[in-house]
Amino acid sequence: MKDRLGREIDYVRISLTDRCNFNCVYCAAGSVLRIPKEMMMSFEEIELVVKVMSELGIKHVRLTGGEPLLRKDIEMLIEKIRKIDRIETIGLTTNGYYLEEKAESIFKAGLDSINVSLDSLDEKSFYEITKGGDLKKVLKGLDKVAIIKPDKIKINTVITKYLPQELLCFLNFAKKNNFILRFIELMPVEGINFKDIYVPVSIIEEKLKDISPVELVSGKFGSGPAKYYRVKNIGIEVGIIAAISHRFCAECNRVRLSSNGVLFPCLNSAVGVNIKDLLKNGDRETLNSVIKETIYDKPISHNFTKESIHFNMCKLGG
Ligand code: SAM
Ligand code: SF4
């Protein structure tokens, strides 16, 4: 459906949990007050919300978190969403730790594509960034996915102080494995030491140009807002997602559902609408009209600055 500004809203990101087995320096999942388990959306509740959303024009679903693969039997949810008529794609954003065990079953259940967050290819730095993560295990998981779904793997790398010295490694790694590579501007979310790790997007753009001539590529590689450069000497495209430096609110197509069932029309929304409560008390018609209104009234843009953002990614669903 279209919102009041005429934007086509066809994409929902659903956080399946606010918990995570990593505690990345830029996300601070570990410092978040946990949502009690009984307040989380059940798979049946998520299925119903997605059904209603699909009737309103949502076609693309992304499962995220926290770490979505921590959610037991996630395959059952994927199967349920797969059966919803108007849903065209189901994606997953994960830190990749459990992919070694889960890759086969989640794709068998109907997953279409996967985004793996990977911020260093150096074991020591990876451990430092994730506060204990095991790079080797994530790479093994990626190998497994590459056998099952070789052309649908995106690597998301947050732009931090670790990236400049590893930029060429990342380009070669993506080229060798045929991964789609995207660099994401660091957002100053709650609980992180922003100043210690922040590196401007422009530094990465300059470094890319030092490595090779680059050209902006038109066309889209997914439903996201990345700007893609072709890095000529390496022979790959690299996406840059800069939500703060280059706002893309005018083209925004998404809403977010948190793991406790609150619908946020924008990352900027201080308060969302509690859908889980409605599921308990309301009928399907009310649910439909509340979701419709929330989407229709989506804010014109976020007002984040480089100074601070008062939300946490793993709570809202990054
Ligand atoms: N645990 C999963 C993962 O890491 O992919 C899914 C949840 S995570 C919150 C989703 C995405 O948000 C990841 O790609 C992560 O890199 C990104 N993210 C987290 N904190 C961020 C921040 N402060 N700025 C920009 N991106 C961030
Ligand atoms: Fe966990 Fe993902 Fe946040 Fe890292 S970015 S702490 S993996 S939720």
Side-chain angles (χ1 to χ4, degrees):
M1 67 172 271
K2 285 200 181 353
D3 73 358
R4 69 196 159 99
L5 300 167
R7 293 171 294 192
E8 190 68 49
I9 311 300
D10 61 3
Y11 179 30
V12 62
R13 294 177 74 100
I14 304 175
S15 174
L16 297 187
T17 175
D18 59 345
R19 279 126 174 108
C20 189
N21 54 317
F22 288 178
N23 188 14
C24 300
V25 286
Y26 54 75
C27 175
S31 63
V32 173
L33 209 59
R34 299 281 168 236
I35 295 168
K37 283 230 165 93
E38 63 278 10
M39 285 177 73
M40 289 205 192
M41 297 274 278
S42 69
F43 288 169
E44 288 68 29
E45 287 171 328
I46 296 174
E47 181 189 18
L48 178 55
V49 174
V50 176
K51 260 187 195 152
V52 170
M53 284 184 165
S54 75
E55 286 155 15
L56 294 170
I58 296 290
K59 298 182 193 140
H60 308 288
V61 175
R62 174 158 300 276
L63 305 176
T64 179
E67 176 44 46
L69 293 180
L70 280 179
R71 193 76 191 250
K72 199 165 165 274
D73 300 327
I74 184 174
E75 297 83 353
M76 281 169 56
L77 177 66
I78 297 172
E79 273 171 18
K80 284 179 190 296
I81 299 176
R82 184 76 286 163
K83 288 189 188 128
I84 301 174
D85 270 352
R86 299 179 187 83
I87 297 300
E88 293 173 11
T89 66
I90 310 173
L92 177 82
T93 298
T94 171
N95 63 30
Y97 186 81
Y98 297 106
L99 279 179
E100 211 185 342
E101 297 83 13
K102 288 276 191 179
E104 222 167 289
S105 58
I106 51 179
F107 281 105
K108 197 165 162 226
L111 189 74
D112 292 297
S113 65
I114 200 157
N115 293 0
V116 179
S117 305
L118 186 62
D119 302 294
S120 173
L121 292 166
D122 171 77
E123 275 181 46
K124 219 171 130 248
S125 302
F126 186 84
Y127 185 90
E128 200 174 296
I129 295 168
T130 55
K131 305 216 187 99
D134 177 359
L135 175 65
K136 275 198 192 125
K137 181 153 167 53
V138 173
L139 295 180
K140 275 190 202 157
L142 269 170
D143 284 345
K144 200 107 190 245
V145 180
I147 296 168
I148 304 167
K149 246 340 183 219
D151 56 343
K152 292 281 183 180
I153 308 170
K154 283 191 186 138
I155 301 293
N156 286 344
T157 304
V158 178
I159 301 174
T160 63
K161 65 177 182 185
Y162 297 92
L163 183 59
Q165 63 267 32
E166 287 197 44
L167 191 58
L168 185 57
C169 279
F170 267 103
L171 297 175
N172 287 326
F173 171 75
K175 172 72 184 169
K176 181 171 156 237
N177 294 289
N178 202 23
F179 294 150
I180 299 164
L181 181 60
R182 285 132 30 112
F183 298 134
I184 300 174
E185 182 176 31
L186 178 71
M187 296 193 223
V189 298
E190 247 170 37
I192 68 169
N193 239 332
F194 183 73
K195 285 203 181 101
D196 281 4
I197 51 173
Y198 176 73
V199 166
V201 173
S202 57
I203 298 275
I204 298 304
E205 289 176 327
E206 277 159 29
K207 277 211 147 250
L208 276 178
K209 288 174 197 155
D210 289 344
I211 290 171
S212 155
V214 296
E215 67 181 0
L216 263 177
V217 193
S218 55
K220 278 196 140 195
F221 293 77
S223 48
K227 167 169 101 177
Y228 280 88
Y229 286 106
R230 177 150 189 83
V231 186
K232 291 186 178 170
N233 292 353
I234 312 272
I236 60 163
E237 277 84 35
V238 176
I240 298 205
I241 303 181
I244 296 178
S245 311
H246 312 290
R247 272 181 206 201
F248 30 73
C249 303
E251 293 116 61
C252 186
N253 61 344
R254 63 196 57 191
V255 291
R256 290 163 198 269
L257 187 65
S258 71
S259 56
N260 56 339
V262 181
L263 180 63
F264 293 93
C266 171
L267 267 179
N268 176 40
S269 317
V271 272
V273 179
N274 195 318
I275 299 293
K276 191 169 163 70
D277 280 354
L278 268 179
L279 286 170
K280 262 187 265 152
N281 310 324
D283 52 38
R284 187 152 167 172
E285 226 168 87
T286 317
L287 184 67
N288 182 301
S289 64
V290 169
I291 295 178
K292 196 170 174 180
E293 256 169 51
T294 310
I295 296 179
Y296 186 76
D297 286 335
K298 188 174 154 69
I300 182 163
S301 83
H302 70 67
N303 55 7
F304 302 153
T305 63
K306 288 215 168 80
E307 277 64 56
S308 84
I309 297 178
H310 298 292
F311 69 83
N312 185 283
M313 280 290 197
C314 58
K315 223 168 182 182
L316 211 69

